[in-house]
């Protein structure tokens, strides 16, 4: 049976997109009166939109090709800059409309005052600033690694683990890297933390296991006294591209698991390991990807089998939605869960007390530490990038967590 397509949402999007561009063009026309402006503008916008739809239609077969990256990035930059321009232009238009009402209140007729060139110029400056920010994010922001440190306190932490440190990274997405030297700076920063334990919380690649091969020499440099451990993320299963056969997809996943071993990472697949220090122990568990809308593969009960309810446990689980669904209220207390996945959408504001990213409308907790029911969750903002080849305001993160006994 052929699936019916609901054209109403598509029509609404088309109308809104046309309205936005028409409004932006009216603003540009205020500061540029050339007769060539309108035809040039519409040829550019329509051409870019058609190229975007073509690139998306080819993505399943060709993956994120160079053409796809160029077109999607160009569209994203232009569209976002247009929204910013339209926002400030609208503020100016609303102000002049209110001023027009005040000015013409006692007049016989009603006439709307003309746009202020200064205000339109300001809106255009904000348009340009937006473009510059995106260019910076693409060229520099995606490799601007930050070390973020947290000290977490527990009543039930074994005495000998007081002061124990964990370095976490997540979402490497090796297929997106283009500058090995910049990646090496991130590796050096990881090793400089000299943590007791290193963990990686999934999405080593975008789609294919081969993506990590050029960077095995980089990530295999990471060492920690208590070992290096990892789990799989939703992208690691190869679900987002078309494989010649199912056997090829299975082979790719097995190859990726082999690469984890080559990196020196102990891959935890619904299992746990015991970390011992001076006769005391904590448990490190890891599950296969479990995320609402991204495949619920992991088996938490299997991963915790053999541990007791009150053992001190650290869980590696790629998707933070798993914490809300199964972890924070689990009968077997999991004191600390480490996740990634969100990337902070690689775009947002974290400054002057403001913490905002569009991803907040998808995930209740999308970055940093959250505590609930006496249990902690840390969501790493990601080491790499995917889709948008850059970062703005949400920088690539290396997390260092110190465990302290209350």
């Amino acid at each position: 049976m052929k699936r019916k397509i609901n054209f109403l949402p598509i029509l609404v999007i088309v109308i809104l997109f046309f309205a936005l561009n028409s409004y932006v063009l009216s603003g540009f026309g205020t500061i540029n009166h050339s007769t060539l402006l309108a035809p040039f503008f519409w040829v550019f916008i329509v051409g870019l939109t058609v190229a975007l739809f073509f690139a998306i239609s080819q993505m399943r077969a060709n993956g994120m090709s160079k053409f796809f990256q160029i077109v999607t990035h160009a569209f994203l930059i232009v569209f976002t800059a247009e929204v910013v321009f339209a926002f400030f232009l609208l503020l100016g238009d609303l102000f002049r409309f209110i001023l027009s009402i005040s000015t013409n209140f006692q007049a016989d007729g009603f006439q709307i005052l003309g746009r202020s060139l200064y205000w339109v110029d300001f809106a255009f400056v904000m348009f340009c600033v937006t473009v510059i920010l995106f260019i910076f994010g693409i060229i520099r922001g995606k490799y601007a690694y930050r070390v973020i440190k947290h000290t977490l306190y527990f009543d039930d932490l074994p005495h000998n683990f007081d002061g124990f440190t964990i370095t976490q990274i997540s979402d490497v997405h090796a297929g997106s890297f283009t500058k090995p030297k910049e990646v090496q700076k991130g590796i050096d920063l990881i090793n400089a933390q000299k943590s007791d334990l290193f963990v990686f919380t999934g999405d080593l690649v975008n789609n294919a296991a081969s993506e990590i091969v050029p960077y095995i020499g980089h990530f295999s440099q990471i060492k920690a006294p208590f070992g290096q451990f990892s789990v799989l993320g939703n992208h690691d299963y190869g679900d987002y591209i078309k494989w010649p056969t199912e056997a090829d997809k299975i082979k790719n996943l097995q190859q990726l698991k082999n690469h984890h071993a080559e990196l020196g990472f102990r891959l935890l697949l619904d299992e746990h390991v015991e970390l011992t220090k001076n006769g005391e122990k904590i448990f490190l568990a890891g599950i296969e990807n479990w995320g609402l809308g991204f495949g619920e593969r992991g088996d938490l009960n299997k991963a915790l089998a053999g541990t007791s309810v009150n053992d001190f446990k650290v869980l590696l689980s790629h998707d933070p939605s798993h914490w809300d669904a199964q972890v924070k209220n689990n009968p077997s207390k999991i004191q600390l869960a480490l996740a990634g996945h969100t990337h902070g959408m690689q775009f947002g504001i974290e400054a002057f007390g403001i913490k905002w990213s569009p991803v907040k409308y998808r995930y209740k907790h999308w970055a940093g530490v959250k505590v609930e029911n006496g249990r902690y969750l840390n969501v790493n903002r990601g080491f790499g990038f995917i889709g948008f080849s850059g970062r703005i305001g949400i920088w690539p993160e290396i997390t260092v967590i110190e465990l302290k006994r209350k």
Side-chain angles (χ1 to χ4, degrees), residues 53 71 82 108 110 127 217 227 263 344 362:
F53 279 106
V71 170
E82 281 188 330
D108 294 332
F110 180 77
F127 176 95
L263 294 172
R362 173 66 173 83

Side-chain angles (χ1 to χ4, degrees), residues 311-328:
D311 282 332
F312 192 93
K313 296 180 283 293
V314 177
L315 174 69
L316 310 183
S317 179
H318 176 69
D319 193 313
S321 65
H322 180 236
W323 189 76
D324 282 307
Q326 294 188 353
V327 178
K328 68 181 183 182

Side-chain angles (χ1 to χ4, degrees), residues 138-352:
I138 291 170
I139 296 174
R140 299 292 301 172
K142 61 190 177 186
Y143 295 114
Y145 300 107
R146 301 286 194 274
V147 175
I148 297 179
K149 297 185 177 183
H150 303 288
T151 301
L152 307 182
Y153 293 86
F154 304 88
D155 290 324
D156 52 354
L157 179 70
H159 289 83
N160 288 320
F161 283 88
D162 187 28
F164 190 83
T165 52
I166 304 171
T167 288
Q168 176 200 4
I169 66 169
S170 191
D171 301 87
V172 165
H173 292 286
S176 299
F177 291 145
T178 56
K179 297 182 178 180
K181 288 184 178 179
E182 296 297 324
V183 174
Q184 183 61 48
K185 291 179 181 178
I187 302 299
D188 293 340
L189 202 53
I190 291 169
N191 282 328
Q193 306 314 307
K194 300 186 183 302
S195 291
D196 296 302
L197 177 70
F198 171 82
V199 297
F200 168 65
T201 45
D203 277 359
L204 189 62
V205 297
N206 296 339
N207 298 294
S210 57
E211 296 168 18
I212 189 60
V213 173
Y215 297 95
I216 288 177
H218 295 74
F219 287 92
S220 62
Q221 297 171 32
I222 299 172
K223 302 296 178 186
F226 282 77
Q228 305 81 239
F229 296 87
S230 60
V231 291
L232 298 174
N234 54 299
H235 278 268
D236 294 324
Y237 296 90
D239 289 339
Y240 305 118
I241 58 172
K242 188 176 181 180
W243 296 93
T245 66
E246 186 63 22
D248 288 304
K249 183 179 178 182
I250 294 171
K251 182 180 178 182
N252 176 75
L253 180 57
Q254 183 55 54
Q255 188 59 55
L256 183 67
K257 293 176 181 178
N258 295 340
H259 289 326
H260 274 258
E262 291 175 49
L263 294 172
F265 295 179
R266 164 72 188 277
L267 187 59
L268 299 175
L269 302 169
D270 296 340
E271 57 188 312
H272 68 265
V273 294
E274 187 178 298
L275 303 179
T276 304
K277 186 176 182 182
N278 298 330
E280 292 185 313
K281 63 185 177 182
I282 65 174
F283 292 92
L284 177 67
I287 69 165
E288 297 206 45
N289 185 67
W290 195 107
L292 294 174
F294 291 94
E296 299 169 12
R297 292 179 167 92
D299 187 335
L300 182 59
N301 290 331
K302 182 180 176 183
L304 299 181
T307 65
S308 70
V309 172
N310 294 316
D311 282 332
F312 192 93
K313 296 180 283 293
V314 177
L315 174 69
L316 310 183
S317 179
H318 176 69
D319 193 313
S321 65
H322 180 236
W323 189 76
D324 282 307
Q326 294 188 353
V327 178
K328 68 181 183 182
N329 295 315
N330 196 284
S332 183
K333 186 176 182 181
I334 298 168
Q335 287 82 349
L336 173 62
L338 304 176
H341 181 65
T342 71
H343 301 208
M345 210 169 175
Q346 298 167 211
F347 173 82
I349 301 171
E350 289 191 278
F352 311 111

Side-chain angles (χ1 to χ4, degrees), residues 59-105:
M59 184 179 67
R60 185 71 179 173
N62 302 329
M64 294 183 182
S65 63
K66 198 69 176 175
F67 174 75
F68 175 87
Q69 292 179 16
I70 292 172
V71 170
T72 53
H73 283 60
F75 185 88
L76 178 64
I77 293 171
V78 171
F79 178 76
T80 307
E82 281 188 330
V83 170
V84 171
F85 178 78
F87 172 77
F88 286 103
L89 188 65
L90 181 61
L91 288 181
D93 284 348
L94 288 174
F95 178 75
R96 71 187 177 94
F97 181 75
I98 294 170
L99 195 62
S100 297
I101 294 175
S102 175
T103 304
N104 293 279
F105 184 71

Side-chain angles (χ1 to χ4, degrees), residues 44-59:
F44 175 76
I45 292 298
V46 172
L48 184 59
T49 305
V50 170
L52 176 68
F53 279 106
F54 178 75
I56 292 173
S57 68
Q58 296 296 306
M59 184 179 67

